[in-house]
Amino acid sequence: MTIAAVLTGDLIGSTAAGGDALGIAMAELAAAAAEIATWQGGSDTRFTRYRGDGWQLVITDRPWLCLRAALCLAARLRAKGAPATRVAIGLGEAGNLGGESLADAGGPAFELSGKALEDMGRTHWLGLAGPAVTTSDAIITRLIEERARRWSPQQAEAVALALDPDNPTLADLATHLGISPQAVSYRLNGAGASAIRRALRDWEEEFEMQRLSALAPHLP
């Protein structure tokens, strides 16, 4: 069976923001989902928009990148000045990935993600659920969540690019953003990007090496 990370979300304050802002946010989420697909060798994340302000995507080839992906989604929205999103991550058996979209998909990871979103409330925007998820994971997500709330749009734009698992250099980021490497460094330092990337890398390595085997007994 395949272990997957299912990310389910809904936009925050989308009704008050209006239809144009909703459209911008959904377009940005779809673009970010396409970028995340390149992190797992081009395997489609199958980004699906639901009625209203809901959305969903799935990471099947490298599910341990789920927290990095959630931060990328949040950063890209902040950079555009679009409505923010809640993100609930379900880690478990992929189950049925559906037809042309995730609208008819289902399985443990989807159920975990949906339930985590329901239980999240409105005081948090990031949640993680699954058989191998621990209290320590909740602490990590809360710390990352709080740090990301403080990003300026410029910091968020730089962080979104810096989250690429291939670890782009300051020169690469500067070329993309059209600013100097020093300006990129200033933005990333202000966003706490170095500490966040180290924390993500350590969490991902631990998940890949230990959590996948811990999840195995829960699979049929």
Side-chain angles (χ1 to χ4, degrees):
M1 293 292 182
T2 300
I3 299 297
V6 174
L7 280 65
T8 305
D10 54 18
L11 298 177
I12 300 170
S14 60
T15 301
D20 289 346
L22 175 61
I24 291 171
M26 283 296 176
E28 196 63 27
L29 288 172
E35 177 183 342
I36 292 165
T38 68
W39 298 357
Q40 55 172 1
S43 181
D44 191 1
T45 59
R46 311 197 68 200
F47 178 81
T48 300
R49 177 180 177 178
Y50 295 109
R51 292 176 58 185
D53 58 7
W55 59 269
Q56 194 168 61
L57 63 85
V58 61
I59 303 174
T60 53
D61 289 9
R62 301 177 72 187
W64 50 87
L65 296 179
C66 57
L67 280 177
R68 186 182 296 265
L71 271 180
C72 179
L73 295 166
R76 289 189 60 145
L77 290 177
R78 177 67 65 99
K80 288 291 185 180
T85 187
R86 298 192 300 164
V87 185
I89 304 167
L91 282 162
E93 180 190 342
N96 172 28
L97 294 180
E100 295 182 357
S101 72
L102 296 177
D104 56 346
F110 289 92
E111 295 166 6
L112 288 163
S113 180
K115 183 67 164 54
L117 187 65
E118 291 177 5
D119 294 343
M120 189 182 298
R122 293 290 173 177
T123 58
H124 297 290
W125 67 264
L126 180 61
L128 186 65
V133 172
T134 68
T135 302
S136 297
D137 296 318
I139 294 171
I140 291 170
T141 58
R142 291 293 168 262
L143 290 173
I144 291 176
E145 177 185 56
E146 178 58 27
R147 191 66 186 85
R149 289 183 191 273
R150 304 178 188 179
W151 292 340
S152 70
Q154 293 77 18
Q155 289 172 341
E157 182 182 29
V159 170
L161 295 171
L163 286 171
D164 188 317
D166 287 339
N167 294 317
T169 65
L170 286 178
D172 293 332
L173 298 177
T175 298
H176 188 99
L177 293 170
I179 58 177
S180 69
Q182 292 78 8
V184 174
S185 179
Y186 181 80
R187 293 184 184 184
L188 293 178
N189 287 339
S194 179
I196 289 173
R197 288 199 293 183
R198 284 197 304 270
L200 287 172
R201 183 177 63 250
D202 291 346
W203 187 87
E204 290 161 0
E205 289 177 354
E206 192 266 346
F207 184 96
E208 183 181 5
M209 299 301 295
Q210 300 181 35
R211 303 293 184 91
L212 288 181
S213 60
L215 280 169
H218 296 274
L219 300 180

